[in-house]
Amino acid sequence: MIVPTDLRSGDVYDTTPDFIYAVSLIAALEGATGHNGHATVLPYLGMARAELTDFGQRRPAHYVPVHISDLPAGLADLDERLTALLADSPVLQHSLRIDAAQRLLRRGVAAVA
């Protein structure tokens, strides 16, 4: 017998301020198109965001405005935020996703350098 499923039932909106800021920072970095190296790091930011949000299964409850004045400084800030998120993560699945996001971010930073 076929049982109807709600595809959105797995969505989890995370209200943690650190998670919300990290995802907002990634969105701001993705939108910082006028900076040198942006095109190189953009695919890595997208992959890092996908990992951090567990491919849509963990969503920020909202976004906060983040201003990017310097791409390398923004990337360094994101790396620090991910390190803090990883240190405070009590859920193994989230820890693995944060670690994967940080690795992708670091590959992007290395590609820009």
Side-chain angles (χ1 to χ4, degrees):
M1 181 163 109
I2 297 175
V3 178
T5 59
D6 180 11
L7 297 177
R8 298 197 42 91
S9 65
D11 292 347
V12 177
Y13 290 92
D14 194 330
T15 59
T16 311
D18 293 334
F19 176 75
I20 289 171
Y21 187 82
V23 176
S24 297
L25 180 56
I26 290 175
L29 287 166
E30 288 175 327
T33 58
H35 296 275
N36 290 335
H38 179 264
T40 304
V41 78
L42 185 61
Y44 296 98
L45 289 171
M47 290 184 286
R49 180 177 36 81
E51 286 289 349
L52 188 60
T53 60
D54 195 5
F55 295 91
Q57 299 304 307
R58 182 180 182 202
R59 299 174 184 219
H62 61 279
Y63 289 88
V64 295
V66 178
H67 176 70
I68 303 297
S69 59
D70 181 40
L71 186 65
L75 294 170
D77 184 26
L78 179 58
D79 189 37
E80 291 172 13
R81 300 275 177 173
L82 292 177
T83 298
L85 276 173
L86 188 57
D88 294 337
S89 177
V91 180
L92 178 60
Q93 180 178 352
H94 295 170
S95 298
L96 293 172
R97 294 293 186 181
I98 295 166
D99 180 62
Q102 191 169 39
R103 288 177 192 224
L104 287 163
L105 172 67
R106 290 177 177 170
R107 285 179 58 194
V109 169
V112 171

